[in-house]
Amino acid sequence: MTNKQIVNVEDLLARCAEYMTEAEVNDIERAYQFAKDEHDGQFRRSGEPYIIHPVQVAGILVDIGLDATTIVAALLHDVVEDTDITLEELTERFGPDVAMLVDGVTKLGKIKYKSKREELAENHRKMFIAMAEDIRVILIKLADRLHNMRTLQHMVKEKQVQKAEETLEIFAPLAHRLGISTIKWELEDISLRYINPQQYYRIVSMMKQKRTEREALVNSVIGEVNEVLDEVQIAAEVDGRPKHIYSIYNKMQNSKKEFSEIYDLMAVRIIVDSIKDCYAVLGIIHTQYKPMPGRFKDYIAMPKPNMYQSLHTTVIGPKGEPLEVQIRTRDMHFIAEYGIAAHWAYKEGKEQEAKSGFEDKIAHFREILELQKDTADAEEFMESVKVDFFSDMLYVFTPKGDVIELPKGSVPIDYAYRIHTEIGHRTIGAKVNGRMVPIDYKLKTGDIIEIVTSKHSYGPSKDWLKICVSSQAKNKIRQWFKRQQREENVLKGRELIEAEVKKLGFEPKEVITDKTLEDVTRKFNFGQEEDMYAAVGYHGLTAAQVAHKLTEKLRKDKESKNLELNDAISEMKTFDRPKKQNPEGVRVKGIDNMLVRMSRCCNPVPGDDIVGYITRGRGVSIHRSDCLNVLNEQNPERLLEVEWEHEGKTVKSYNVEIEISGYDRAGLLNEVLQSVSATNTNIVAVSGKGDNSKQAKISMTIAINNVNHLQKVVDRIKQISDVYAVHRVMMT
């Protein structure tokens, strides 16, 4: 392993040759030439030839020590998506394993989706399913995302924020769950730089201010520790551990701490040869420096679920400063950096041990395949994955002392199904820490759990679906009902769907035809209609979802007719009236002299996308198109198309409320007021407040001409030091 950055294909091949056979290096060179030829004429947004990207992705994976098949797939990972090469051709040239990995990271390109969100969910689902079959898929995807984040400056700002948010939501947590901290930290730090640049650079600035002093203290400790370890003849590598910016930001946000209150800004890492030496060094450190109570953690005796092992302690260092110390073996350090990816880097003697840990870890991810079978909707599938894999976790014990990881909020039922499916089905009660508890008891980290079962149990209750949290438990319960009561579920599902169709104002015979059933069954990824009915019967799919799809076309036709009728009535009522300019500057399309008024819930201004709503006796109320009252409207036939009468010209001013968030300090409010006044904007009202965590909120109502005027004011406020967010307030 080396940290030398791979710059070009020559570097890549040289690094591969350090741990691969000559034949494997030749395969990688052949894959590079093929990718170079196919991507010829394609360029990155930076203007560089496209081939630079797959080489960098492969380089990241070579630095982790992955196998030749993965490196070949990394070099070819975009040829199917971005060139005319097919998976069949790839299989013929490079074999089925490479083709499978490339297919796993290839987006779904030839399917039309109703929304970008649905497309993103489907692509994530495809990636997760492929990952569950071969974990190397996600390792390639993580390297791909890391290089894209490193070059994110070439994207437009909106795309930068979108990619950074997706990275923090999906890819950084994935890297954490797989134990690949070397990728996780970099993804998080880069994402923060684009999502909240002001906070990012503020922390960087504060770290630089005391860097020299901090480094001097750490170097002093390193010298003292080396001297003591030499005396007792323990071989060790002692160095300073850099603190990552996103970690500092998270602690400041979650714990409401100031920068100066973060304990582990100063840290020392000690790497030794054996576990025995780890504990010996811990005793020496606690003798040399005073340990801080409650700050010792033994992750060697009790490893984290992502295979991380180390001893952590915080002591009072020189000059009374808190100092974090981590102690681990070389093998532990390797796994801490590369996590599950270390499985491919282990050779000979350690291969069996690595394989064992790898198989234990990957078993949980393979549950994704089970989840996929019973979840038709891609967005629902992704939400379930996030609960089981990315949410905050708690750790409980079996009666034998084994550690079980569960999503936060889990109950004994979740635990029972995590142990074994049959234990879950036969559960009749639970003991926590030696005493009986109800099955909806919220588990806490450290609880010791014993499940009470009975051979005479009638199986799970449907109420359990409302109680348990993990998608694994819910999936197993649904499967049980699916197997036990298929005919009953099919009948029940059909009845529920017909009832929902009636609620929407349609006759089932009119809506539920062979054609509509075939279309909707296919949209929800079921093989046949009875499977879909059964899924509704055992609550794997809601009747409302199916009814909504079945009536979609008829509802659109009905809405269109209602709008045409309203237009005709309005035209009859206003036909003979002389035209007047509406004082609000808005007109209903196709209708003159309609009484309109601005809604106070969203306060639209010229330039906003707007929609009209027919009120009872008060004309048409004008809302922003994204107003929650419009999005949640139960009578869409009362919505009208409206437009601004004089786009770009000032007809009047409109009151808009904005909220400014920042760090509380003297003079902040005054600077905000001066910035707004400098844009020739009238301030109608203003109020501000701070709290114990040094956070300030300023609410301000200003008179605005249009959205461009509003954007000018917002941009001016954002330039103020210590302001980190400005947003427009929308009342519900």
Side-chain angles (χ1 to χ4, degrees):
M1 282 297 182
T2 177
N3 290 323
K4 182 182 175 184
Q5 186 174 3
I6 291 172
V7 177
N8 51 43
V9 69
E10 288 78 18
D11 289 339
L12 178 71
L13 294 174
R15 279 285 292 110
C16 289
E18 292 176 14
Y19 69 96
M20 294 184 193
T21 65
E22 185 178 347
E24 288 173 332
V25 175
N26 289 338
D27 286 341
I28 290 167
E29 188 171 9
R30 183 166 62 91
Y32 164 76
Q33 196 57 53
F34 182 80
K36 185 173 182 286
D37 292 342
E38 292 304 321
H39 288 300
D40 187 41
Q42 296 178 349
F43 297 90
R44 301 270 288 169
R45 288 182 182 271
S46 61
E48 298 172 314
Y50 194 88
I51 189 62
I52 286 175
H53 172 63
V55 169
Q56 293 296 319
V57 171
I60 291 168
L61 297 173
V62 165
D63 202 43
I64 295 174
L66 288 186
D67 62 308
T69 301
T70 310
I71 306 307
V72 168
L75 287 166
L76 301 170
H77 78 272
D78 275 334
V79 294
V80 173
E81 188 174 332
D82 294 336
T83 75
D84 294 329
I85 295 298
T86 65
L87 278 171
E88 288 72 22
E89 291 176 85
L90 216 58
T91 303
E92 188 177 334
R93 285 175 176 268
F94 297 98
D97 287 348
V98 169
M100 181 274 295
L101 293 175
V102 171
D103 184 41
V105 296
T106 300
K107 297 190 188 103
L108 303 169
K110 297 180 180 178
I111 302 174
K112 290 187 178 179
Y113 298 95
K114 66 180 180 181
S115 69
K116 189 69 179 174
R117 179 172 172 174
E118 182 184 16
E119 180 183 359
L120 195 63
E122 283 289 1
N123 280 320
H124 285 157
R125 168 153 71 173
K126 179 176 185 283
M127 177 185 73
F128 271 95
I129 293 166
M131 178 192 79
E133 293 176 344
D134 193 317
I135 200 70
R136 291 175 294 178
V137 168
I138 201 61
L139 298 178
I140 297 171
K141 194 66 184 175
L142 285 172
D144 172 61
R145 176 52 61 110
L146 179 56
H147 183 247
N148 282 331
M149 292 300 286
R150 286 174 176 173
T151 56
L152 202 57
Q153 70 269 23
H154 301 294
M155 304 284 281
V156 297
K157 186 172 182 180
E158 182 183 352
K159 281 283 185 183
Q160 288 174 342
V161 174
Q162 179 188 327
K163 291 291 182 187
E165 288 177 342
E166 183 188 12
T167 297
L168 278 185
E169 185 182 11
I170 300 291
F171 294 99
L174 253 179
H176 173 67
R177 294 285 287 164
L178 296 171
I180 314 173
S181 62
T182 187
I183 290 179
K184 170 188 180 273
W185 292 120
E186 189 173 353
L187 288 176
E188 289 178 336
D189 283 358
I190 297 174
S191 297
L192 179 63
R193 191 168 82 216
Y194 289 101
I195 291 173
N196 197 336
Q198 188 166 5
Q199 280 294 84
Y200 176 87
Y201 288 110
R202 179 171 178 258
I203 293 170
V204 169
S205 175
M206 288 188 290
M207 289 178 75
K208 283 181 179 177
Q209 287 171 13
K210 292 191 175 183
R211 175 176 291 170
T212 305
E213 178 186 345
R214 206 161 52 241
E215 286 179 350
L217 287 168
V218 170
N219 288 334
S220 171
V221 172
I222 290 173
E224 291 176 7
V225 171
N226 274 324
E227 189 176 328
V228 175
L229 294 181
D230 285 343
E231 288 178 8
V232 295
Q233 297 182 338
I234 293 180
E237 296 172 19
V238 186
D239 58 20
R241 182 183 67 85
K243 186 67 182 175
H244 298 278
I245 297 165
Y246 184 78
S247 176
I248 296 172
Y249 169 78
N250 251 353
K251 288 193 175 182
M252 291 172 69
Q253 292 294 111
N254 297 337
S255 304
K256 306 297 182 188
K257 289 182 177 179
E258 291 295 325
F259 181 81
S260 58
E261 297 176 286
I262 306 297
Y263 284 147
D264 48 359
L265 285 172
M266 292 174 55
V268 169
R269 179 180 290 139
I270 304 172
I271 300 175
V272 295
D273 292 331
S274 66
I275 293 177
K276 179 183 71 174
D277 286 347
C278 287
Y279 290 100
V281 169
L282 176 69
I284 291 168
I285 293 295
H286 281 182
T287 303
Q288 189 78 8
Y289 305 101
K290 184 178 180 180
M292 292 182 66
R295 298 284 298 174
F296 169 66
K297 292 176 182 173
D298 187 344
Y299 293 120
I300 294 179
M302 188 127 0
K304 290 185 178 181
N306 61 8
M307 301 189 295
Y308 177 88
Q309 287 184 287
S310 186
L311 297 177
H312 288 197
T313 186
T314 302
V315 298
I316 303 299
K319 298 185 180 179
E321 294 278 352
L323 174 74
E324 183 182 70
V325 180
Q326 296 180 352
I327 309 165
R328 62 181 70 148
T329 66
R330 285 175 178 79
D331 289 347
M332 291 173 188
H333 181 61
F334 188 71
I335 291 174
E337 292 292 300
Y338 301 112
I340 228 164
H343 167 71
W344 284 273
Y346 272 99
K347 302 296 178 189
E348 296 159 5
K350 295 173 186 171
E351 185 176 358
Q352 193 58 41
E353 179 187 346
K355 183 170 176 139
S356 172
F358 172 80
E359 290 299 331
D360 288 345
K361 182 63 188 165
I362 202 64
H364 192 34
F365 283 90
R366 286 183 178 143
E367 292 163 11
I368 291 173
L369 294 176
E370 290 299 314
L371 177 63
Q372 152 69 10
K373 292 176 185 176
D374 284 278
T375 311
D377 183 75
E379 291 185 40
E380 182 187 343
F381 169 80
M382 280 307 300
E383 286 305 313
S384 296
V385 168
K386 287 175 190 176
V387 168
D388 267 15
F389 293 93
F390 302 154
S391 64
D392 290 338
M393 309 303 286
L394 58 88
Y395 304 94
V396 295
F397 296 94
T398 68
K400 292 183 179 179
D402 296 327
V403 180
I404 303 296
E405 180 188 43
L406 294 167
K408 197 170 184 179
S410 290
V411 298
I413 298 169
D414 294 291
Y415 168 86
Y417 279 102
R418 180 60 53 85
I419 298 299
H420 195 280
T421 302
E422 283 306 311
I423 291 177
H425 289 340
R426 295 177 180 178
T427 296
I428 60 171
K431 288 182 180 179
V432 173
N433 303 325
R435 60 185 183 84
M436 292 296 296
V437 296
I439 57 171
D440 61 352
Y441 169 84
K442 300 288 183 185
L443 298 174
K444 300 185 290 294
T445 292
D447 283 344
I448 301 171
I449 308 170
E450 180 183 350
I451 296 297
V452 180
T453 61
S454 170
K455 292 181 180 179
H456 305 293
S457 168
Y458 291 108
S461 161
K462 286 189 177 179
D463 289 337
W464 289 9
L465 290 169
K466 302 173 186 175
I467 297 170
C468 58
V469 171
S470 66
S471 55
Q472 181 202 24
K474 290 181 179 180
N475 183 43
K476 297 297 183 184
I477 295 167
R478 288 176 183 139
Q479 284 181 351
W480 189 88
F481 282 109
K482 182 179 180 180
R483 288 193 303 270
Q484 297 293 319
Q485 305 168 333
R486 178 172 172 79
E487 289 186 11
E488 181 184 333
N489 283 328
V490 169
L491 181 61
K492 184 178 179 181
R494 184 180 282 112
E495 290 173 352
L496 288 171
I497 290 170
E498 289 180 357
E500 284 293 332
V501 167
K502 288 180 181 178
K503 281 184 186 178
L504 293 172
F506 297 96
E507 282 297 319
K509 290 181 181 178
E510 174 189 11
V511 173
I512 304 175
T513 65
D514 291 343
K515 178 69 172 63
T516 58
L517 277 175
E518 183 183 346
D519 290 343
V520 174
T521 300
R522 188 174 61 252
K523 283 180 181 178
F524 284 113
N525 297 324
F526 288 104
Q528 52 187 2
E529 296 159 18
E530 284 198 348
D531 293 336
M532 183 179 70
Y533 282 133
V536 173
Y538 64 77
H539 302 299
L541 182 69
T542 68
Q545 285 176 294
V546 178
H548 186 80
K549 289 287 185 187
L550 285 169
T551 60
E552 195 168 29
K553 187 176 183 305
L554 288 172
R555 283 185 291 105
K556 284 181 180 177
D557 292 344
K558 185 177 179 181
E559 288 166 15
S560 178
K561 289 176 183 177
N562 286 338
L563 284 174
E564 289 173 8
L565 180 61
N566 286 338
D567 286 347
I569 293 171
S570 299
E571 285 177 356
M572 290 174 62
K573 289 182 178 180
T574 60
F575 185 79
D576 293 322
R577 294 182 187 176
K579 292 184 179 179
K580 294 180 183 178
Q581 181 176 300
N582 193 298
E584 297 291 356
V586 175
R587 66 187 294 272
V588 179
K589 282 188 179 181
I591 307 175
D592 294 315
N593 295 341
M594 179 67 76
L595 174 65
V596 301
R597 66 183 184 86
M598 295 296 176
S599 68
R600 293 182 180 178
C601 57
C602 57
N603 289 325
V605 300
D608 283 332
D609 290 334
I610 52 175
V611 66
Y613 177 78
I614 303 172
T615 65
R616 299 184 188 278
R618 294 182 294 165
V620 176
S621 175
I622 308 300
H623 295 258
R624 281 164 55 189
S625 299
D626 59 353
C627 176
L628 292 176
N629 289 328
V630 170
L631 297 175
N632 296 328
E633 177 51 41
Q634 300 299 312
N635 299 301
E637 66 274 8
R638 298 177 72 175
L639 299 176
L640 295 173
E641 286 190 58
V642 295
E643 60 187 3
W644 297 102
E645 282 192 318
H646 298 282
E647 193 72 60
K649 296 181 182 179
T650 302
V651 177
K652 60 170 285 186
S653 62
Y654 301 79
N655 287 347
V656 172
E657 186 178 354
I658 59 175
E659 186 176 90
I660 301 132
S661 302
Y663 284 93
D664 197 6
R665 62 167 170 82
L668 179 63
L669 178 58
N670 191 40
E671 284 185 40
V672 171
L673 294 173
Q674 288 178 0
S675 293
V676 176
S677 296
T679 62
N680 296 318
T681 302
N682 184 36
I683 300 173
V684 179
V686 64
S687 64
K689 63 179 180 179
D691 58 28
N692 294 333
S693 59
K694 305 270 184 174
Q695 304 293 310
K697 296 281 185 190
I698 299 172
S699 296
M700 182 179 289
T701 303
I702 51 180
I704 292 297
N705 296 329
N706 51 47
V707 289
N708 292 332
H709 182 188
L710 176 60
Q711 190 60 50
K712 181 180 176 184
V713 174
V714 170
D715 289 344
R716 191 66 177 259
I717 295 172
K718 282 184 175 180
Q719 293 174 14
I720 298 171
S721 174
D722 290 321
V723 168
Y724 56 78
V726 182
H727 72 272
R728 190 169 168 185
V729 175
M730 189 188 300
M731 294 183 290
T732 57

